Amino acid sequence: MAKDATSPAKKIWVLHGPNLNLLGSREPGIYGTESLKHINQRLVGAASDAGAEVQCYQSNHEGELVDKIQAAGREKVDFIVVNPAAYTHTSVAIRDAFAAVKIPFIEVHLSNIHAREPFRQRSFLSDIAVGTICGLGSRGYDLALAYALLRGQE
């Protein structure tokens, strides 16, 4: 069901984990040449065009990401798109934060984590995520956002 003109805009947060601030220059053969700033601008614009609000946040610190996930619960965020980056494979704390706030989320990875080193093939989040998108570069974010915008309107 679509929100009417009096309903508040859908709130979607996009959270980026460690080292994603280096996109565009960090291992472009794996992660592409597009900057995080450009990806965020594209997502904010697409959400705005759809009448929704997107806020993007990046941190290299696990606790800051946990704090942001907990804040999303208090701020009644409707959906989260998250690229936990290296924390995908190590962070029980981020998993527990998502389990606690019960906000639906999609896990996004620029590279195909299943075709990489064995330690990157295990995710602490995938089994509690609505879905996982990997290997499609920055367009994975666009697909996750498109789903978040449509969720609840089926």
Side-chain angles (χ1 to χ4, degrees):
M1 174 181 358
K3 291 188 177 191
D4 63 36
T6 60
S7 297
K10 186 176 274 192
K11 288 174 76 169
I12 301 166
W13 283 8
V14 179
L15 305 180
H16 307 281
N19 298 308
L20 293 172
N21 56 305
L22 300 177
L23 285 180
S25 62
R26 176 188 176 215
E27 299 178 88
I30 295 173
Y31 301 109
T33 57
E34 190 173 19
S35 72
L36 187 61
K37 179 180 179 180
H38 186 261
I39 294 167
N40 287 341
Q41 288 172 338
R42 188 174 70 235
L43 296 173
V44 168
S48 178
D49 290 347
E53 173 192 339
V54 164
Q55 292 183 20
C56 301
Y57 178 79
Q58 187 276 329
S59 179
N60 293 319
H61 305 282
E62 183 180 31
E64 288 180 7
L65 292 167
V66 169
D67 289 344
K68 202 67 172 172
I69 295 163
Q70 291 176 1
R74 292 188 300 274
E75 295 191 29
K76 308 293 185 215
V77 171
D78 296 299
F79 203 92
I80 296 174
V81 173
V82 61
N83 183 341
Y87 291 135
T88 302
H89 324 291
T90 63
S91 184
V92 174
I94 289 174
R95 177 196 173 81
D96 288 351
F98 274 115
V101 298
K102 296 180 173 60
I103 296 171
F105 70 96
I106 291 180
E107 176 184 352
V108 173
H109 298 285
L110 298 165
S111 67
N112 180 353
I113 62 173
H114 305 290
R116 298 204 45 205
E117 305 92 335
F119 71 89
R120 293 189 197 274
Q121 295 175 15
R122 170 74 167 101
S123 169
F124 279 81
L125 302 176
S126 293
D127 67 313
I128 62 170
V130 171
T132 301
I133 300 172
C134 66
L136 302 179
S138 72
R139 292 302 171 180
Y141 286 107
D142 301 304
L143 295 170
L145 177 62
Y147 178 85
L149 291 169
L150 291 174
R151 185 175 166 96
Q153 297 179 16
E154 300 87 24

